[in-house]
Each structure stands twice: as C-alpha cells, then as structure tokens.
Amino acid sequence: MKMKTFTQFKKEAMKRSGVRKAMKDADIEFQIIEAIVKSRAQKKITQKALAEEIGVTQSALARFESGRGNPTLLFIQKVTTGLGLHLTVK
C-alpha cells in the first residue's frame, strides 16, 4: 500500500459531506482563536499574564489557544475582555 501525502488525503476526505461540514465548523473556531492569539501577541501580553488577569490557569489558556478543548462562550468572553476586545457575532 502506497502512503498518501496529507494533501492527497485531505482532497479525498473533503469529498465526504460530513468531513466538509466538520472542516467548515472548525474553521470558524480557528479563526476566532487566531484573532485572539494575534491580538495577545501584538499587545505583548504573555499567556501567564493574561491568564492571571482573567482568573484562569495558564494551561487552560494554552489549551484554548492550541485548539485543544471546547471552550465555553463565557471563557471566550473572559479572554476577549482581558485583551480589551469586544466579542461580536454576525
């Protein structure tokens, strides 16, 4: 059996409607995380400092920023507020 590249695997997987939907749903989550991480980096705030500011552990913030976990809306709101951002849903 020949090994597939990730690109080949993804192309074949995206033919399945369930996979396409899951990828679209995950894309929204990753866009939010990316915007938050960029904002924190631009403001030169460490994970530890932000975590202390908003009352969570640094490891919880790290899990959120890496996409490992299922954050609540309250958690996302704490993070955005801690960065001086406003969470808007369109």
Side-chain angles (χ1 to χ4, degrees):
M1 176 192 243
K2 186 177 177 186
M3 199 104 159
K4 295 178 185 177
T5 66
F6 177 72
T7 303
Q8 291 168 328
F9 172 79
K10 184 178 175 185
K11 184 177 179 179
E12 289 179 20
M14 292 300 280
K15 292 177 184 176
R16 298 172 38 208
S17 64
V19 172
R20 281 194 311 273
K21 183 183 180 320
M23 291 294 286
K24 183 179 178 185
D25 293 347
D27 188 49
I28 294 166
E29 180 180 340
F30 289 122
Q31 286 177 26
I32 292 169
I33 293 169
E34 181 181 27
I36 289 171
V37 172
K38 281 183 179 179
S39 178
R40 183 179 62 74
Q42 287 172 345
K43 294 175 186 228
K44 297 182 178 160
I45 300 171
T46 65
Q47 281 183 344
K48 183 177 180 180
L50 178 58
E52 288 174 359
E53 173 73 24
I54 64 175
V56 301
T57 63
Q58 183 273 329
S59 60
L61 185 58
R63 278 191 305 277
F64 165 71
E65 288 188 357
S66 68
R68 296 180 334 244
N70 192 9
T72 63
L73 184 56
L74 179 60
F75 186 89
I76 295 169
Q77 188 175 10
K78 280 183 179 183
V79 174
T80 55
T81 300
L83 290 169
L85 304 173
H86 298 280
L87 183 60
T88 304
V89 179
K90 292 183 182 182

